[in-house]
Amino acid sequence: MIQTIRSAWKVQELRNKLLFTIFALLIFRIGSAIPVPFIDTESLKTYMASQSSSIFGLLNVMSGDAFAQATVFALSIQPYINSSIIVQLLTVAIPALERLQKDGGEEGRKKIAAITRYVTVAIGLLQGFGYYSLINSYNIVDATGVPGWWAAIVIVLTFTAGSAFVMWLGEQITEFGIGNGISIILFASIISRFPGSIITTVMN
């Protein structure tokens, strides 16, 4: 493994791609540590700890602990993954989309990608609102000094913007970095939860 990395590092193009990928993942990890305003993070951690065996625990693993900490990237890449699945299903169910995918060529693929992005933002809004509704029902939202509706807007839009940025970051890694950006971000999220065991496995 180490020898492979050393060999790749000697090739300038691969070195540039590796550096870009590392830089993008660094941005992802920084965003995963920036908390969204108006949320009582300590109460949220306590609640999420009690839900570790539920679907929230899975979402938290996929976000690299960002979900349980309500950070800017709390939704991570889930909206994009869900959007991709939905659009793929729609291409089978809707003849116009099916023709666009099969016969549209490069232009068709670009339109499908654009539709996927729009659906990602829509799903991000829905999931962001759902997350806000959940924490608000448990009095985890701390809107002291501001109207409740303003806190709701800021929280939902921050979650949505974070998911859209992660989607864009994954596309940049795919284009200028190494491998599939979305898969790399997902792997980086999971490895951040269990770094020791995974790194040991890779090294061996």
Side-chain angles (χ1 to χ4, degrees):
M1 180 67 179
I2 299 298
Q3 186 59 39
T4 302
I5 295 176
R6 286 178 178 175
S7 299
W9 191 258
K10 295 177 182 178
V11 182
Q12 183 175 358
E13 184 179 359
L14 286 177
R15 183 167 65 248
N16 292 340
K17 287 179 176 292
L18 279 170
L19 290 173
F20 182 87
T21 302
I22 292 171
F23 178 70
L25 292 178
L26 179 62
I27 293 176
F28 173 70
R29 291 313 305 164
I30 292 174
S32 297
I34 299 175
V36 173
F38 308 124
I39 296 178
D40 184 349
T41 55
E42 292 303 320
S43 298
L44 179 62
K45 288 178 183 179
T46 301
Y47 173 74
M48 287 299 178
S50 67
Q51 300 293 319
S52 59
S53 59
S54 68
I55 184 64
F56 299 124
L58 176 61
L59 292 175
N60 191 43
V61 170
M62 292 182 67
S63 68
D65 268 341
F67 188 83
Q69 299 174 27
T71 66
V72 174
F73 293 161
L75 299 183
S76 190
I77 58 172
Q78 288 96 338
Y80 180 80
I81 292 174
N82 293 334
S83 173
S84 298
I85 294 172
I86 291 172
V87 171
Q88 287 298 317
L89 292 175
L90 288 178
T91 56
V92 177
I94 301 177
L97 287 177
E98 186 176 12
R99 289 194 298 271
L100 188 64
Q101 185 183 48
K102 290 182 177 179
D103 306 324
E106 183 64 25
E107 188 65 25
R109 284 190 290 272
K110 287 182 179 179
K111 290 182 179 179
I112 293 292
I115 293 172
T116 303
R117 295 188 192 103
Y118 291 133
V119 176
T120 298
V121 173
I123 293 176
L125 281 169
L126 290 174
Q127 291 188 348
F129 180 75
Y131 195 169
Y132 165 77
S133 300
L134 172 69
I135 60 180
N136 189 50
S137 66
Y138 285 93
N139 297 317
I140 297 176
V141 175
D142 182 11
T144 305
V146 298
W149 59 266
W150 176 250
I153 291 175
V154 170
I155 291 172
V156 173
L157 290 184
T158 303
F159 283 145
T160 304
S163 67
F165 184 83
V166 171
M167 173 188 64
W168 176 83
L169 195 63
E171 291 178 346
Q172 299 309 300
I173 293 175
T174 300
E175 184 172 357
F176 301 108
I178 293 179
N180 181 280
I182 299 301
S183 299
I184 289 175
I185 288 177
L186 178 59
F187 178 74
S189 299
I190 296 174
I191 200 174
S192 67
R193 288 269 298 176
F194 315 103
S197 59
I198 294 180
I199 290 175
T200 300
T201 301
V202 172
M203 295 296 290
N204 292 334

